[in-house]
Amino acid sequence: MSFPDGFLWGAGTSAYQIEGHHGRGESVWDEFCRRPGAVEGGGDASRACDSFLRWREDVELIRELGLGAYRFSTGWSRVMPEGTRADPRALDHYERFVDALLDAGVEPVLTLNHWDMPAGMSWAERSTAHAFASYAGAVAERLADRVTWWITQNEPWIIALLGYQLGLHAPGVADLGTAVKAGHHVLLGHGAAADVLHAHAGVMAGAALSLFPCDPATGSEADWAAAAGSDGYVNRWYLDPLLGDGYPADTREHWERALGHDLAFVLDGDEAAIGGRSDFLGINYYTRRVMAAAPADPFPWRVVGPSGDVARTDEGWEINPGALRDLLIGLSRRFPGTPLMITENGGVFGDAPTHDGRVHDTRRIAYLRDHVAAVGEAVDAGADVRGYLHWSLMDNFEWALGYRPRFGLVHVDYATGVRTIKDSGHYYARLIAGGGTAPALPRIEAFG
Ligand code: IFM
């Protein structure tokens, strides 16, 4: 396996999940967390990993792990506390942070919207796309001279699904029509922000999509149709317009049938304002969906698997690196000329420190090794993949699931804020030092 020169080996986090409050403006997520039962365990992100204060320590960890890139987000509600005017002190903070990364030889990968929009805003409103572009402009004004990689939107489908269709994330709306509309406005926001970013020379702008390959449960025609329908709903509805093909006709028909009306909120010119503006595609890959036909409206499909004895993370998600390899190869064939970057990939493994003070998360090591190998196979098959950013650098606030799921290469003791590099972090450091060659799985005592 040969990863190209300049391949970015890194890890990611987001502002709301790690920073803690520390004087930021009110966010839709602060409001959501106050709803009884909204967050498992009743927690909130007022402290999280305290990274707003401990950011120097985080940069040291990044350096110690030998990461070549770090994906983080600027807090929208920190930069624009009331949603309209940028707070220069917040921008000062991110400027110091970016400079520290650069001093450490780490390439910053900056996400603009990782879900923490200012309170009172909603993607159900078209005007939010413009507000987002003005926020993007304020951040770019400060940082575009030293940040090359910009992610506009993180996971448009998840924003629409959990935030507006199911009400499981902020702002807690549960209405299908609003969800489809909100998803469109998120994409419009990408287009508007990308235009603002492109006023700065050298910027690479893209969105990060959560892509879930959809496989049929059986070889029946009905299950194949279910898989194709689900693929349209989850993947193509975002992928196609972003990469210039406009909304896919089959999914558009599905929405018009399910909602009982035209998508009047998609105005003439909107698809042109979304497409043709992505310098790369960010891919967040966790697992696949196995689909079967279902009689129910509004979705004539359902997730049924995989069934049986497959490897799973502690959250129950199937571990399937082969699906990542095939996804990358498929995307590179369908969209030649669009560089790909793995902007998230990881799993929940709940290992805690043991008597020796270390975290022996051997399953995360195997997960990491196998997914990196899958990326390498895709590269060998010709896919233009520019980087692999593991999710996450450290355990953090996992939204409505609170602090239970642990995704980190670094363990965080939430009571004290103490960070401990897990065995997977040490393993990743060695993998990076070897240019992506997986070290043999060493005996546990060899780490640390
Ligand atoms: O923690 C999240 C992240 O914020 C968005 N993508 C999925 C991750 C794991 O659920």
Side-chain angles (χ1 to χ4, degrees):
M1 256 178 298
S2 41
F3 289 93
D5 284 348
F7 190 87
L8 296 177
W9 294 104
T13 59
S14 83
Y16 199 82
Q17 293 179 273
I18 65 165
E19 282 184 353
H21 193 291
H22 303 300
R24 67 166 145 68
E26 178 88 343
S27 155
V28 289
W29 263 95
D30 296 330
E31 290 175 333
F32 187 71
C33 288
R34 285 197 289 272
R35 290 190 186 185
V39 175
E40 194 177 313
D44 62 30
S46 52
R47 177 135 177 236
C49 308
D50 236 357
S51 285
F52 187 73
L53 301 182
R54 302 177 81 130
W55 62 271
R56 287 185 185 82
E57 206 179 319
D58 292 350
V59 174
E60 273 319 301
L61 279 173
I62 291 165
R63 193 203 293 267
E64 203 176 329
L65 290 174
L67 302 187
Y70 180 56
R71 177 183 176 208
F72 68 101
S73 72
T74 46
W76 189 351
S77 59
R78 190 180 296 289
V79 172
M80 296 210 145
E82 292 101 32
T84 46
R85 249 198 346 263
D87 178 350
R89 292 167 310 168
L91 293 169
D92 290 346
H93 167 76
Y94 291 117
E95 197 168 7
R96 277 192 294 272
F97 182 66
V98 165
D99 286 344
L101 288 177
L102 293 170
D103 283 349
V106 177
E107 183 83 36
V109 178
L110 190 157
T111 310
L112 286 163
N113 177 29
H114 206 121
W115 307 354
D116 54 351
M117 59 167 35
M121 279 192 184
S122 164
W123 287 109
E125 305 300 328
R126 192 177 170 92
S127 57
T128 302
H130 307 297
F132 180 57
S134 101
Y135 155 62
V139 181
E141 209 50 56
R142 276 294 188 98
L143 295 174
D145 61 343
R146 61 203 96 165
V147 175
T148 301
W149 297 91
W150 294 72
I151 296 171
T152 53
Q153 302 283 17
N154 186 62
E155 301 185 345
W157 178 55
I158 299 292
I159 295 175
L161 172 74
L162 298 183
Y164 297 85
Q165 183 181 323
L166 300 177
L168 296 173
H169 275 190
V173 175
D175 179 75
L176 189 58
T178 309
V180 184
K181 190 199 277 190
H184 177 59
H185 295 155
V186 170
L187 292 182
L188 275 181
H190 160 80
D195 284 349
V196 165
L197 292 171
H198 284 141
H200 299 267
V203 156
M204 296 284 281
L209 297 187
S210 51
L211 295 178
F212 292 83
C214 298
D215 294 327
T218 71
S220 77
E221 213 171 291
D223 286 354
W224 274 98
S230 162
D231 181 46
Y233 164 55
V234 170
N235 302 319
R236 289 182 286 115
W237 187 249
Y238 301 93
L239 202 47
D240 290 16
L242 276 174
L243 296 184
D245 284 356
Y247 284 118
D250 62 330
T251 312
R252 192 174 184 136
E253 277 160 28
H254 163 75
W255 284 133
E256 289 174 349
R257 213 174 26 248
L259 300 175
H261 56 72
D262 288 353
L263 305 187
F265 50 81
V266 181
L267 306 184
D268 282 352
D270 279 3
E271 284 157 289
I274 293 167
R277 284 156 174 75
S278 293
D279 305 307
F280 71 101
L281 174 69
I283 296 157
N284 296 358
Y285 170 78
Y286 288 92
T287 193
R288 66 179 178 136
R289 285 157 66 95
V290 178
M291 309 303 302
D297 265 345
F299 298 106
W301 56 74
R302 66 198 164 95
V303 179
V304 292
S307 52
D309 194 15
V310 297
R312 294 175 193 272
T313 68
D314 284 349
E315 207 55 28
W317 297 0
E318 181 199 11
I319 300 173
N320 193 325
L324 173 59
R325 176 198 56 227
D326 296 347
L327 172 68
L328 294 172
I329 293 173
L331 287 169
S332 66
R333 290 192 181 142
R334 182 150 179 234
F335 302 106
T338 300
L340 309 174
M341 188 186 295
I342 311 300
T343 37
E344 290 183 23
N345 170 243
V348 175
F349 300 102
D351 309 275
T354 50
H355 65 284
D356 55 4
R358 302 201 195 149
V359 181
H360 303 302
D361 56 339
T362 46
R363 292 171 303 155
R364 191 185 320 279
I365 291 176
Y367 182 104
L368 182 58
R369 177 198 59 188
D370 295 347
H371 284 79
V372 167
V375 176
E377 285 164 21
V379 169
D380 284 347
D384 180 9
V385 187
R386 302 291 175 90
Y388 173 86
L389 308 178
H390 192 78
W391 187 269
S392 172
L393 173 67
M394 66 181 108
D395 297 335
N396 57 51
F397 177 69
E398 179 55 18
W399 308 110
L401 300 180
Y403 292 96
R404 178 181 50 77
R406 289 181 179 268
F407 278 94
L409 296 163
V410 174
H411 178 272
V412 177
D413 175 356
Y414 295 115
T416 60
V418 168
R419 282 104 161 108
T420 306
I421 298 179
K422 300 180 188 177
D423 284 358
S424 58
H426 292 296
Y427 181 85
Y428 193 32
R430 292 175 46 193
L431 184 148
I432 293 170
T437 310
L441 289 181
R443 287 177 314 143
I444 278 168
E445 307 86 71
F447 286 117

